[in-house]
Amino acid sequence: MKNYSKISISEEVRIELHDKLGLTGAEVSINTLPAGTSVPFVHAHKLNEEIYAILNGEGSVEIDGEKIAIKSGDWLRISPSAKRQFFAAHDKAIKYICIQVKADSLIGYTQSDAIF
């Protein structure tokens, strides 16, 4: 059995990598919102925080009623209970990665977890 998984992805609107890579500690998705569209629902989580990396484009995210502008290069961490919804700019699509992990589960960082 290999100690790694590798895939190539296409240009889909949403790609969830959990099953494709056999992830065991995180959920990762790659998302694209066309210009003028939004995620069609507001949501929160029970246990998982989300980390968002904005790859390209621009738009906004509404978090607990506060609208925040986002653009390529921005990173966000959102607490589990925060209610959130993402919006693409009216004239530009937005592409982002969402990493979902259990809040307060990080035991060690890169250096403290590495084996040399």
Side-chain angles (χ1 to χ4, degrees), residues 6-115:
K6 178 185 179 283
I7 62 167
S8 292
I9 59 170
S10 60
E11 289 295 320
E12 298 175 43
V13 172
R14 180 173 170 87
I15 300 166
E16 293 187 12
L17 299 179
H18 179 265
D19 291 335
K20 294 179 185 287
L21 287 173
L23 301 178
T24 64
E27 174 60 81
V28 179
S29 62
I30 303 165
N31 305 271
T32 302
L33 290 175
T37 66
S38 67
V39 171
F41 52 85
V42 175
H43 78 285
H45 289 277
K46 296 175 189 171
L47 302 173
N48 295 339
E49 66 185 7
E50 290 181 322
I51 301 101
Y52 291 89
I54 311 306
L55 300 176
N56 56 49
E58 59 186 62
S60 62
V61 57
E62 189 167 316
I63 304 171
D64 290 338
E66 180 181 351
K67 198 149 200 170
I68 301 159
I70 52 177
K71 64 183 180 348
S72 180
D74 287 347
W75 285 78
L76 298 161
R77 179 214 164 257
I78 304 177
S79 297
S81 64
K83 293 180 176 145
R84 70 214 66 178
Q85 185 177 17
F86 281 76
F87 302 84
H90 74 280
D91 60 344
K92 291 185 181 174
I94 191 167
K95 185 173 186 174
Y96 58 92
I97 292 175
C98 176
I99 304 164
Q100 193 177 128
V101 295
K102 185 178 177 188
D104 301 315
S105 65
L106 186 61
I107 297 170
Y109 297 87
T110 302
Q111 292 301 317
S112 63
D113 187 54
I115 300 170

